[in-house]
């Protein structure tokens, strides 16, 4: 693709010398990137797994007027479906995320002799998928991550852009063979680092959940132990109460027996006092 009114059709070409790379469209953060000089694409890397949506997004961002700093573009595809037909909306595989494009301009106006020349405008461009599965959950730094990727590419190309004739004078894809593999590798690093960050986040979440579960189990064991101690104390108190009740009942029975003996003796003595003297007198 070129930054003019007639951009090339796709952003899927990489160097023919590089081995084929299998990329997961749903996880890749940066789907395509390129480096241009005054509207000429010097190298590009990536592919278009969304039936032309990547190419359309690339066209949109490349056709934005060159201004100092950053330019942005969002694919206008309705509710996220590419094509807009009702039949396509029923096909889950046909769904296209709302892709975004971003580019950065660097102005070069000094030649080797120090004299002014026609300005060279270097354009560093990328198309990324904000819905890629490799983004960490609740990630609010998508744009800054892509900007960081582009800034690194700007730094990597600073030397060749200054002295290499292929970069300063070459035609379309003049730097494809030398730099496209590096560009693709950097794109994959962004996805890899995002995947690692997402996995790390998931591991941290799982670790926190396990810690919470362990804490809850320990608290439950403490409560059960406390309840067991209370139950043991109550059982001991019940045993002591039972022993005291049995002792008290024995004492009450002995007292009742003593009272009965005393009463019986008193009654017998009284009867004897009343009955015995008359008997003796009769006899």
């Amino acid at each position: 693709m070129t930054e003019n009114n007639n951009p090339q059709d796709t952003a899927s070409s990489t160097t023919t010398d590089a081995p084929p790379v299998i990329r997961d469209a749903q996880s890749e953060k940066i789907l395509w990137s390129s480096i241009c000089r005054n509207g000429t694409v010097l190298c590009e890397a990536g592919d278009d797994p969304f039936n032309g949506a990547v190419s359309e997004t690339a066209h949109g961002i490349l056709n934005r007027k060159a201004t100092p700093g950053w330019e942005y573009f969002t694919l206008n595809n309705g509710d996220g479906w590419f094509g807009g037909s009702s039949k396509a909306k029923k096909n889950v595989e046909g769904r296209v995320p709302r892709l975004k494009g971003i580019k950065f301009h660097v102005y070069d106006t000094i030649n080797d002799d120090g004299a002014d020349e026609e300005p060279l405008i270097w354009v560093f461009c990328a198309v990324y998928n904000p819905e890629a599965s490799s983004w960490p959950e609740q990630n609010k730094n998508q744009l800054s991550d892509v900007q960081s990727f582009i800034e690194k590419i700007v730094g990597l190309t600073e030397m060749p852009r200054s002295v290499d004739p292929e970069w300063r004078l070459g035609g379309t894809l003049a730097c494809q063979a030398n730099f496209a593999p590096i560009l693709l590798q950097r794109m994959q690093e962004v996805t890899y680092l995002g995947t690692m960050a997402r996995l790390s986040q998931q591991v941290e979440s799982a670790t926190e959940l396990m810690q919470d579960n362990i804490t809850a189990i320990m608290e439950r064991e403490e409560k059960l132990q406390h309840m067991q101690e209370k139950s043991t104390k109550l059982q001991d108190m019940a045993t002591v109460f039972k022993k005291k009740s049995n002792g008290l009942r024995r004492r009450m029975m002995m007292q009742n027996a003593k009272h009965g003996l005393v009463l019986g003796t008193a009654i017998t003595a009284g009867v004897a006092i009343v009955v015995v003297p008359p008997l003796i007198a009769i006899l």
Side-chain angles (χ1 to χ4, degrees):
M1 281 171 282
T2 57
E3 192 182 21
N4 52 38
N5 294 329
N6 296 301
Q8 297 178 16
D9 290 336
T10 67
S12 60
S13 60
T14 57
T15 176
T16 56
D17 297 332
V21 179
I22 300 176
R23 287 155 50 87
D24 182 3
Q26 301 302 324
S27 65
E28 289 294 334
K29 292 181 178 179
I30 301 178
L31 299 169
W32 173 86
S33 63
S34 72
I35 303 173
C36 306
R37 185 201 67 239
N38 287 1
T40 301
V41 177
L42 297 177
C43 65
E44 62 179 354
D47 46 26
D48 191 349
F50 294 117
N51 300 324
V54 175
S55 179
E56 182 176 343
T57 307
H59 290 173
I61 186 61
L62 285 174
N63 287 332
R64 287 292 181 91
K65 182 180 178 180
T67 59
W70 298 95
E71 290 289 336
Y72 308 97
F73 176 83
T74 300
L75 179 63
N76 184 15
N77 57 339
D79 59 357
W81 295 84
F82 186 68
S85 67
S86 59
K87 182 177 180 180
K89 293 184 180 182
K90 297 179 181 179
N91 181 9
V92 176
E93 295 181 355
R95 185 181 184 279
V96 173
R98 197 176 297 276
L99 304 181
K100 295 180 179 291
I102 180 174
K103 68 176 178 176
F104 183 73
H105 305 97
V106 176
Y107 289 81
D108 184 356
T109 58
I110 304 298
N111 63 16
D112 296 336
D113 299 329
D116 292 341
E117 64 177 3
E118 181 182 357
L120 295 181
I121 302 177
W122 303 94
V123 181
F124 299 84
C125 183
V127 173
Y128 67 98
N129 179 8
E131 299 180 18
S133 60
S134 57
W135 293 109
E137 294 181 1
Q138 298 180 347
N139 181 24
K140 299 180 180 180
N141 300 317
Q142 293 180 354
L143 180 59
S144 62
D145 288 349
V146 180
Q147 287 177 327
S148 177
F149 158 77
I150 292 179
E151 289 170 352
K152 290 178 181 178
I153 300 302
V154 173
L156 286 173
T157 60
E158 183 175 2
M159 180 62 70
R161 285 188 288 109
S162 300
V163 299
D164 193 331
E166 283 190 347
W167 286 83
R168 298 187 70 85
L169 302 174
T172 301
L173 300 181
C175 305
Q176 183 75 3
N178 294 328
F179 200 78
I182 299 175
L183 199 58
L184 183 61
Q185 180 184 14
R186 294 290 177 165
M187 292 164 59
Q188 292 172 332
E189 285 179 358
V190 175
T191 298
Y192 173 77
L193 293 176
T195 301
M196 291 299 100
R198 183 182 181 89
L199 292 176
S200 176
Q201 189 178 67
Q202 292 176 347
V203 170
E204 289 178 359
S205 298
T207 302
E208 291 178 359
L209 180 60
M210 290 177 62
Q211 291 176 346
D212 292 341
N213 290 337
I214 292 173
T215 302
I217 291 173
M218 293 179 64
E219 291 178 352
R220 182 173 178 271
E221 288 181 352
E222 290 178 359
K223 290 180 179 180
L224 290 174
Q225 185 177 0
H226 185 62
M227 292 177 64
Q228 181 68 30
E229 291 176 354
K230 282 187 174 181
S231 176
T232 302
K233 289 181 179 179
L234 290 174
Q235 187 174 1
D236 293 341
M237 292 173 64
T239 302
V240 172
F241 178 77
K242 184 177 181 181
K243 289 181 179 180
K244 289 184 177 180
S245 298
N246 291 336
L248 179 61
R249 185 171 58 182
R250 286 195 296 269
R251 287 196 298 271
M252 292 296 294
M253 290 177 63
M254 291 179 65
Q255 289 179 358
N256 290 336
K258 289 179 180 179
H259 293 162
L261 179 61
V262 171
L263 181 61
T265 302
I267 293 173
T268 302
V271 171
I273 293 173
V274 173
V275 175
V276 171
L279 288 177
I280 294 175
I282 294 173
L283 296 176

